[in-house]
């Protein structure tokens, strides 16, 4: 049985930004702007499950019950495309830490090739927001989740913009209890393992073509 809890954000402001991202006519700067807006909405929704603590907040005229996050999450983008979600995450959660995972899909095998890992050694007890706009075959996020659970992470929320059903199914098979917050679950992948209808190559649409020797 799957341990995964899935939230698909169905809000008119979110779906309008998603449409901008999907639209092939949106250029790099328009794509970055729409991803930044949508990222804030995704983080807002994902943060609903975070624990808050109360304290006395002194107002100019009295004392109110104040709240703050008890244990702010660490934001972990999968580079490159996940970088587009870091600024909106930090603007919503200024106390968050940031870790980095660099992965690039091999265009022939569609398997992720790791090139960077910059994470704390111990992630036990700390909420992790793993952010990547795209969940396609699931290979990249499964690899990233394994890196996190190897460090003791036991509270992982995966945040994506577009998820493909095969990738969702693959993450649902993991033993780790994962939460998924996304704006769309698209039906499938084409022969190049791109999500259909998807939005194309998220990294290229944010930053232009990459050239890494894999
Ligand atoms: C994209 C995307 C995900 C991955 C999803 O990155 O940002 O990390 O593909 O595909 P998967 O679910 O089949 O693994 P890509 O490897 O193209 O690198 P980039 O972000 O540097 O362009
Ligand atoms: N990575 C992307 O950026 N887009 C896809 O459709 C699949 C993987």
């Amino acid at each position: 049985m799957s341990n995964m809890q899935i939230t698909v954000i169905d809000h008119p402001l979110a779906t309008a930004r998603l449409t901008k991202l999907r639209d092939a006519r949106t250029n790099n700067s328009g794509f970055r702007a729409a991803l930044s807006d949508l990222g804030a909405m995704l983080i807002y929704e994902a943060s609903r499950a975070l624990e808050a603590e109360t304290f006395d907040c002194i107002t100019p005229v009295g004392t109110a019950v104040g709240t703050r996050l008890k244990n702010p999450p660490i934001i972990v983008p999968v580079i490159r495309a996940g970088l587009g979600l870091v600024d909106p995450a930090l603007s919503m959660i200024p106390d968050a830490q940031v870790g980095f995972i660099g992965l690039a899909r091999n265009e022939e095998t569609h398997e992720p090739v790791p090139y960077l890992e910059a994470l704390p050694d111990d992630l036990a007890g700390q909420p992790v927001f793993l952010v990547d706009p795209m969940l396609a075959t699931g290979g990249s996020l499964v690899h990233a989740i394994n890196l996190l659970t190897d460090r003791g992470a036991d509270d992982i929320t995966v945040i994506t913009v577009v998820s493909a059903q095969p990738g969702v199914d693959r993450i649902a098979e993991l033993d780790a209890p994962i939460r998924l917050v996304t704006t769309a679950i698209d039906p499938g992948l084409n022969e190049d393992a791109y999500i259909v209808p998807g939005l194309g190559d998220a990294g290229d649409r944010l930053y232009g073509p990459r050239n890494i020797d894999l």
Side-chain angles (χ1 to χ4, degrees):
M1 208 186 57
S2 166
N3 271 325
M4 184 148 74
Q5 187 187 312
I6 302 176
T7 303
V8 181
I9 298 180
D10 181 19
H11 186 290
L13 298 183
T15 53
R17 292 315 191 287
L18 171 62
T19 304
K20 265 262 177 245
L21 294 172
R22 286 196 191 275
D23 191 334
R25 295 168 304 180
T26 302
N27 65 13
N28 291 149
S29 73
F31 193 92
R32 285 193 293 271
L35 184 62
S36 175
D37 289 347
L38 185 54
M41 299 178 207
L42 284 159
I43 295 290
Y44 175 85
E45 190 56 42
S47 301
R48 218 177 264 288
L50 294 175
E51 211 179 333
E53 63 185 6
T54 57
F55 65 101
D56 285 345
C57 170
I58 312 303
T59 80
V61 288
T63 304
V65 179
T67 75
R68 59 190 163 214
L69 290 182
K70 192 167 179 191
N71 189 12
I74 178 165
I75 312 297
V76 180
V78 178
I79 298 171
R80 286 179 306 164
L83 289 176
L85 293 166
V86 173
D87 280 353
L90 287 175
S91 84
M92 298 299 279
I93 312 176
D95 295 336
Q97 296 176 303
V98 185
F100 299 91
I101 296 174
L103 300 175
R105 271 198 336 179
N106 178 301
E107 277 163 27
E108 265 109 58
T109 64
H110 309 140
E111 289 299 316
V113 180
Y115 60 85
L116 176 72
E117 212 178 296
L119 295 166
D121 288 337
D122 184 7
L123 289 168
Q126 182 170 20
V128 180
F129 282 4
L130 178 60
V131 299
D132 188 331
M134 308 306 278
L135 165 58
T137 65
S140 302
L141 282 172
V142 166
H143 182 92
I145 289 166
N146 287 334
L147 290 179
L148 298 170
T149 53
D150 285 351
R151 288 167 166 77
D154 48 17
D155 180 1
I156 301 174
T157 303
V158 170
I159 297 170
T160 68
V161 171
V162 181
S163 307
Q165 191 63 56
V168 174
D169 294 343
R170 197 155 158 201
I171 290 190
E173 282 166 13
L174 297 174
D175 288 336
I178 304 292
R179 247 178 264 111
L180 173 67
V181 179
T182 189
T183 35
I185 299 184
D186 283 6
L189 304 169
N190 68 13
E191 62 282 6
D192 297 319
Y194 277 90
I195 302 173
V196 183
L199 51 75
D201 186 312
D204 287 6
R205 296 202 63 194
L206 273 167
Y207 303 121
R210 75 165 147 76
N211 182 11
I212 297 178
D213 214 359
L214 298 174

